[in-house]
Amino acid sequence: MSFLYPLGLLGLIGVPILIIIYIIKNKYTESVIASTYIWTLSEKFLKRRLPINKFVGIISLILQILAVIFISVAVAHPVLTLPNSANDYLFVLDGSGSMNITRDDKTRLDFAKEEIAEIIEDSANGSAYSLIFAGETPNVIFDKITDKDYALLLLGKIAPAYTSAGFTDTLGAAQKYFNDNSSILTYFVTDKEVEPSENVQIINVSGGEENYAVTDVAYSFANSDNFGKLTVTGSLVSYESDAELEIKLFLNGNAEPAYEQKADVKKLQSAPFAFVCEETNFESLKVVITNKDALAMDNEAVVYNVEYENSYKVLLVSDTPFFMTALLQSVGNASVKTVSTETYSKTAEEAVKGRDLCIFDTYTPEVLPDKAAIWFINPQQSVAKSGFTVQNEIEKTVGVKADYTNSTKTIYKTLLRDVLKEDVYIKKYQKCRLDRKDFLTLVSCDDNPLIFTGTNEYRNREVVFAFKLNDTNLAPVMDFITLSRNLLDYMFPTVIDESSYYSGETLQVNVTANCDSIRLESPSGKISYLDTSSAVSEVKLTEVGTYTVTLMSGETARVFRVYSALPEEERIPAVKSEAFSLVGEAGTEKRDGVYDDLMILFILLALIFAADWMVYCYEQYQLR
Amino acid sequence: MNGLIINEEFLQQLETLQTLVKNNVAGLFGGNHQTKNFGSSCEFADYRDYIPGDDITKIDWNAFARFEKLYLKLFLDERQRHTRIYIDASRSMAYGKGKKDEQALKIAAALAYLSVCEMDKVSIYLIRGGVADCIISGMLGKDSYIGSIGKLNFVEFDGDACISDAILPSAVGYGDGLSVIISDFLTDNNFEDAVNFLASKRRDILCVQVLSKEELNPKARGKMHFFDSENTEKYYRKNINRDIMRAYKEALEFVQSRISSLCHSRGADYMLVSADDSVFEIFFNKLINMGVVK
């Protein structure tokens, strides 16, 4: 027998202390009484006692000592070693998305955990347990721990994955355990139909559950019969039986379905469907199978409109907005709202709310919007925090030629990409002084900046055309359109190219030039920040549901959504898998087991003796 | 002794006791006591044949007329009795919280009073060592009682007492009354001879054993070292537990039964009294039940 906490035996010091106290305290009480006659006579009537009764006088001390001894031993936690009675266990737990399939309100992962827990609980104390969770990547949850309770605690904390699980790496990890100890008992708990495997015991937790899935959902506006109208297509699958499935289409997050239909689906045969809608645009759509099955998460598919996600909202403040409106709709993915200068002067704060870009055409606001990119066209006067100062208007008698920058810097090349640099003449313009160093002058006249861009003091991107479009020949030429597109692309690049993914795939986010941070919120609410140091930031999607990507540029936030679906291979209730064999000859060595439930016994004994002592004391008190 | 035991209040209680006794029972100690001998009282007892020389005035002539034979009419004799009360005045009677001494004196005073009321003579003796010291002698009548009984207030209990040694040499009378021995009888000293002696003198005998509450039901537990109050060389040292308490009870019963058996075998009465018992309880319950008081 050994002790887990030998320091607990220090409590035995209490034994000699008790004896010393007993010796010191144990004195005869002297008393004079009327007569000792009867007392002396009583000796003749005293029954001859058993030798053991000699201990009756110190029964209190004996009980106290026994209580102290058992308490000390219990604190020291005695452990009995049982040679060669325990084993090493290795559990390989399939954590793929299909383990989320439910049966009797419990997932396959729950059943798998129950199987493992049962093995752990039935095993001899002193056994060592290791568990590899084969989720997105193999993950050793616990390694050769001997504490059953701790193993069960860690097992209980395992959360399901939503990706496919490749077992190659897992097998390698398990093989390493087997190489280290060929006597290890290996269990592979999965829902796959695994071929007979060597040195591994397969525990299958699948139960032939019913499952339907909606796949390959896509949309288009180019249907020949209904040109411009939204058409949603996809496929339905029933994995276990023929079924009549009801599907509903929800648009733009509405709770009521916009369209619905029924479809007969043969087992394991893909059944296409199509919704032809009246809508010509949408923000998001969701196709849902309403029939109940064992795996709910593959019964719906959500698609976000990439164009919509990448679009930006523009406020155009102009009294002659036609030209700019046409320009924005032709060169950018913009949603334009136009207000007159008079209206804006009255409702400035309300008008700029939620806008990604504010364009002021021949108008200067009193207060510069702080949460949007800014374009000034022919600014009339200076505005605080804009980063430049309007000095005076310069008017030429004849148009003078403006000059494109000759800089070879990449940024200039980007902004002037595809610009033919045709001759530009200007008759009248505003002379501006650039107060911030980061402004880039693209076109100038007499060394005065005509077209320049940079960031204002709110760190929002700003573009200034320091002239009226009527006072130059730039507007009608192609270069103006190209330059505007470059500027808009530079300010609002396409952030996401795709809005539909499978769990386990990688989401790519284009990092915009002025992006400060990219915040990613997973369907379960986990928040992470992506790397913004490179042009493209990547992140692996490991959950099923809608991810929200928020790009922060100064005070401006642009929000994008992508949907991550369960991988198709994980939707199949019964998948056949290759053998999960461990190479080598299995050993028969065992490890020493332990019996550590002795502590309870000692605690009970201590309690019994302590209680006995108290009862004895109470009896003695009552007799007085 | 704190205060007077035989005080005005106690005497008033005795008066009440006498009234209650008279109202409720036939008599006390026989009153003007009829003896077993024939005498000159008015109460007819028996007939016997006439023997020459007998007093002819006592011949029953009616019987002669009927039987033509001379019969002498016999009447019971009436004599004055002499009650002798012996009080154990050893230290063991007074030691501790028991108040055995007070109880002993009260019983003696009460018995003396009831005797006096019956026109008996009363003598009270204190037994110290081997001597019976008479502190009240031949007390007769209530006036004498009131005048003498106060002496009991000044009795000191000390030393030891040998009852037999004290009573045997003393004048105990012959067939003329009641002898009362009041003691705790917690002694190795001989008292059996005294009872035998009194019985041989044809005296009525009453042994009153007075024990304190602590002696009847000891509360001491654990390791105790007891010293005897009369002789400190005597001691008892034990860890007192349930077994010893059981043995003590048996020993106490043995002592009681030994005295009781002795008394019964000698036609004497035995009464165990707790020091806490009231005088009324002793007289009404115990003595009446025993038939000592009628």
Side-chain angles (χ1 to χ4, degrees), chain B residues 2-29:
Chain B
N2 297 331
L4 299 175
I5 299 164
I6 312 301
N7 50 24
E8 194 66 32
E9 184 185 350
F10 179 73
L11 293 174
Q12 285 174 1
Q13 287 177 4
L14 290 182
E15 200 70 42
T16 311
L17 179 69
Q18 188 216 0
T19 308
L20 290 172
V21 167
K22 281 195 168 174
N23 290 339
N24 291 284
V25 297
L28 177 72
F29 296 127

Side-chain angles (χ1 to χ4, degrees), chain A residues 35-101:
Chain A
S35 173
T36 57
Y37 177 68
I38 299 178
W39 288 110
T40 309
L41 191 64
S42 68
E43 286 290 299
K44 294 178 184 173
F45 295 91
L46 202 55
K47 304 278 188 302
R48 184 170 291 281
R49 297 184 299 176
L50 293 171
I52 197 169
N53 287 346
K54 290 178 181 174
F55 295 105
V56 169
I58 56 169
I59 194 164
S60 174
L61 177 67
I62 291 170
L63 290 172
Q64 286 178 61
I65 287 173
L66 286 173
V68 167
I69 287 172
F70 287 122
I71 288 170
S72 302
V73 175
V75 170
H77 198 145
V79 174
L80 213 59
T81 304
L82 306 170
N84 299 321
S85 64
N87 290 298
D88 280 271
Y89 291 88
L90 171 64
F91 301 101
V92 179
L93 176 57
D94 182 357
S96 59
S98 61
M99 294 293 276
N100 288 292
I101 291 175

Side-chain angles (χ1 to χ4, degrees), chain A residues 22 26-43 45-47 49 56-57 619-620 623-624, chain B residues 92 95 186-188 215 218 221 223-229 236-239 241 243 247-248 250-252 254-255 258:
Chain A
Y22 179 80
N26 193 30
K27 284 182 177 176
Y28 282 86
T29 306
E30 293 187 350
S31 172
V32 179
I33 59 172
S35 173
T36 57
Y37 177 68
I38 299 178
W39 288 110
T40 309
L41 191 64
S42 68
E43 286 290 299
F45 295 91
L46 202 55
K47 304 278 188 302
R49 297 184 299 176
V56 169
E619 273 184 11
Q620 293 298 308
L623 284 170
R624 292 188 75 83
Chain B
S92 67
Y95 200 86
L186 300 181
T187 177
D188 291 328
E215 286 165 338
R221 293 290 184 281
K223 299 198 165 184
M224 301 300 296
H225 191 157
F226 294 135
F227 292 97
D228 195 297
S229 63
Y236 177 81
R237 180 185 163 95
K238 279 278 181 188
N239 183 10
N241 53 30
D243 290 338
Y248 179 92
E250 289 178 27
L252 182 63
F254 170 77
V255 169
R258 188 179 66 177

Side-chain angles (χ1 to χ4, degrees), chain A residues 228-505:
Chain A
K229 290 185 178 178
L230 172 65
T231 302
V232 180
T233 59
S235 298
L236 300 171
V237 181
S238 174
Y239 292 100
E240 286 294 316
S241 61
D242 296 347
E244 184 189 33
L245 302 183
E246 184 184 39
I247 51 173
K248 292 181 179 178
L249 174 64
F250 298 81
L251 289 175
N252 303 326
N254 288 333
E256 292 298 320
Y259 302 92
E260 56 186 81
Q261 59 180 257
K262 289 185 177 178
D264 289 322
V265 183
K266 299 287 182 190
K267 180 184 176 184
L268 290 174
Q269 288 184 17
S270 180
F273 68 86
F275 286 104
V276 179
C277 310
E278 292 298 318
E279 286 78 3
T280 55
N281 199 1
F282 73 101
E283 181 185 339
S284 67
L285 64 87
K286 182 166 75 172
V287 179
V288 177
I289 299 174
T290 56
N291 303 54
K292 281 196 171 180
D293 66 354
L295 185 61
M297 64 181 68
D298 62 353
N299 289 1
E300 66 176 40
V302 179
V303 176
Y304 292 99
N305 186 344
V306 177
E307 293 296 317
Y308 191 91
E309 291 297 309
N310 283 314
S311 70
Y312 45 89
K313 296 171 186 167
V314 178
L315 175 70
L316 175 58
V317 183
S318 174
D319 292 326
T320 55
F322 310 110
F323 179 75
M324 282 305 297
T325 304
L327 175 74
L328 289 167
Q329 285 177 348
S330 62
V331 302
N333 186 11
S335 164
V336 183
K337 180 185 177 186
T338 305
V339 295
S340 66
T341 55
E342 187 182 351
T343 306
Y344 181 82
S345 62
K346 292 174 184 171
T347 60
E349 198 172 323
E350 187 65 30
V352 301
K353 195 174 281 180
R355 295 286 137 183
D356 299 314
L357 171 63
C358 294
I359 300 176
F360 297 101
D361 182 7
T362 320
Y363 174 77
T364 308
E366 289 181 16
V367 179
L368 192 67
D370 59 351
K371 290 179 178 171
I374 306 292
W375 273 23
F376 284 110
I377 299 171
N378 191 27
Q380 297 300 296
Q381 57 193 40
S382 301
V383 58
K385 301 191 176 181
S386 62
F388 69 97
T389 307
V390 178
Q391 292 178 319
N392 59 298
E393 188 178 74
I394 294 176
E395 186 171 3
K396 303 286 185 182
T397 50
V398 293
V400 292
K401 190 179 174 187
D403 301 318
Y404 282 95
T405 180
N406 293 322
S407 174
T408 56
K409 287 184 179 176
T410 309
I411 183 68
Y412 286 101
K413 285 182 178 179
T414 303
L415 291 172
L416 294 175
R417 186 182 63 210
D418 298 334
V419 175
L420 300 173
K421 297 188 179 177
E422 294 174 28
D423 290 345
V424 176
Y425 293 93
I426 191 159
K427 194 176 179 185
K428 190 163 64 176
Y429 63 94
Q430 298 288 348
K431 185 180 179 183
C432 297
R433 189 186 74 227
L434 307 183
D435 300 331
R436 288 174 62 84
K437 289 180 181 176
D438 67 342
F439 273 101
L440 308 170
T441 303
L442 303 177
V443 178
S444 61
C445 180
D446 299 335
D447 292 333
N448 292 321
L450 286 182
I451 302 174
F452 53 93
T453 182
T455 56
N456 59 27
E457 290 184 25
Y458 293 119
R459 296 188 66 243
N460 291 326
R461 192 157 286 279
E462 198 169 86
V463 173
V464 179
F465 296 89
F467 51 86
K468 198 172 182 180
L469 294 177
N470 295 347
D471 294 330
T472 175
N473 67 336
L474 179 64
V477 300
M478 192 62 192
D479 275 353
F480 180 64
I481 297 171
T482 308
L483 181 62
S484 297
R485 189 191 63 210
N486 287 349
L487 287 167
L488 287 169
D489 283 350
Y490 181 65
M491 295 174 90
F492 303 106
T494 301
V495 174
I496 55 169
D497 299 319
E498 182 69 44
S499 69
S500 296
Y501 294 85
Y502 285 117
S503 179
E505 289 185 339

